[in-house]
Amino acid sequence: FHEMLSNREATRYWSTLPHTTLSETHTWITQSTTHTHDYAILLKTTNEVIGKIGYFGPEIGFLLHPRVWGQGYASEALGGFLQVLWEGEIEVV
């Protein structure tokens, strides 16, 4: 996650400035795990974390590592996330 969250290009439209320390990312991860609407995006073949997706009020937000951009992972993650959302596993407020 730190690789993504410290990348200026990846966080251009993110809600915070790029992280500058591992400690900052660790704090962010700790706080994110208490948010039940956040999910890691994993590369199926290796289980490597390549991003995250979550529901925040009326918005769905996601972050992907730039090295996997343009490969369809955002669309695939969104499709799976919407399915979970529609099945009622996530409470829509």
Side-chain angles (χ1 to χ4, degrees):
F1 273 109
H2 182 69
E3 221 178 289
M4 287 178 284
L5 290 168
S6 64
N7 184 299
R8 287 198 182 283
E9 193 172 0
T11 58
R12 181 182 314 165
Y13 303 106
W14 197 242
S15 58
T16 64
L17 294 173
H19 292 188
T20 56
T21 66
L22 283 172
S23 175
E24 186 177 9
T25 301
H26 181 268
T27 299
W28 179 86
I29 289 171
T30 302
Q31 292 171 349
S32 292
T33 58
T34 62
H35 192 292
T36 58
H37 305 336
D38 276 342
Y39 295 86
I41 301 172
L42 305 176
L43 195 57
K44 287 180 183 178
T45 56
T46 64
N47 279 337
E48 175 189 0
V49 175
I50 59 169
K52 69 164 276 329
I53 190 166
Y55 175 73
F56 309 95
E59 298 178 349
I60 294 173
F62 67 92
L63 174 72
L64 284 175
H65 195 291
R67 68 179 159 70
V68 299
W69 288 357
Q71 298 179 41
Y73 294 124
S75 297
E76 186 176 350
L78 181 59
F81 186 77
L82 288 174
Q83 184 174 358
V84 169
L85 189 70
W86 288 328
E87 289 173 357
E89 294 179 37
I90 298 174
E91 182 180 336
V92 178
V93 180

